[in-house]
Amino acid sequence: MQKQSAHFLFADQTDIEDLGGGLKRQMLGYNHELMAVKVWFDNGAEGYTHKHRHSQVTYVEQGEFHFRIGDETKVLKAGDSCLIPPNVEHGAVCPTGGILIDTFSPAREDFIEAQDDAN
């Protein structure tokens, strides 16, 4: 497993992983402490409900997302963001299609391993 991304990553030279279900993901940079990821959602795509040990901040770049964190659901639009604490169930539905920028601390090892397996 690679411990750190390159210092400079160019959008047209960085792999975009098709996750299925109308979702795609592109790594924006990471080391063992921090990771940023761009995620595309097709109209109606759903980020399944899950939880993980990582702190997460998500920024809505484009579209509308119905975000659930714990027992609370809010509609987030471009320019909005949310904080997801470790081990709290969360998920999102994107009725419009859109783009999220997810940041994680520490880095999501499972994302790095999936990228390594794809290459």
Side-chain angles (χ1 to χ4, degrees):
M1 174 173 64
Q2 188 175 348
K3 299 291 184 196
Q4 176 174 303
S5 66
H7 290 166
F8 298 97
L9 291 101
F10 300 93
D12 63 351
Q13 298 171 16
T14 304
D15 292 338
I16 297 173
E17 180 183 3
D18 188 339
L19 303 174
L23 300 172
K24 294 180 181 168
R25 174 173 65 209
Q26 184 179 45
M27 306 289 261
L28 301 179
Y30 63 89
N31 64 16
H32 68 282
E33 297 174 338
L34 180 66
M35 171 181 277
V37 178
K38 186 173 189 174
V39 185
W40 288 263
F41 283 67
D42 289 344
N43 291 2
E46 182 175 346
Y48 67 92
T49 300
H50 65 287
K51 63 182 178 178
H52 44 73
R53 68 182 185 90
H54 312 81
S55 294
Q56 178 178 340
V57 173
T58 295
Y59 171 80
V60 179
E61 183 177 311
Q62 179 183 319
E64 178 181 296
F65 291 83
H66 298 201
F67 248 96
R68 185 176 73 78
I69 302 172
D71 294 330
E72 189 171 14
T73 300
K74 298 283 185 184
V75 176
L76 300 180
K77 297 181 180 180
D80 296 337
S81 59
C82 60
L83 168 70
I84 303 163
N87 301 308
V88 173
E89 283 197 347
H90 59 283
V93 176
C94 184
T96 63
I99 300 171
L100 298 177
I101 305 296
D102 287 333
T103 57
F104 301 96
S105 179
R108 293 285 304 262
E109 303 88 352
D110 53 329
F111 289 7
I112 298 166
E113 290 169 5
Q115 183 181 37
D116 289 347
D117 290 346
N119 291 330

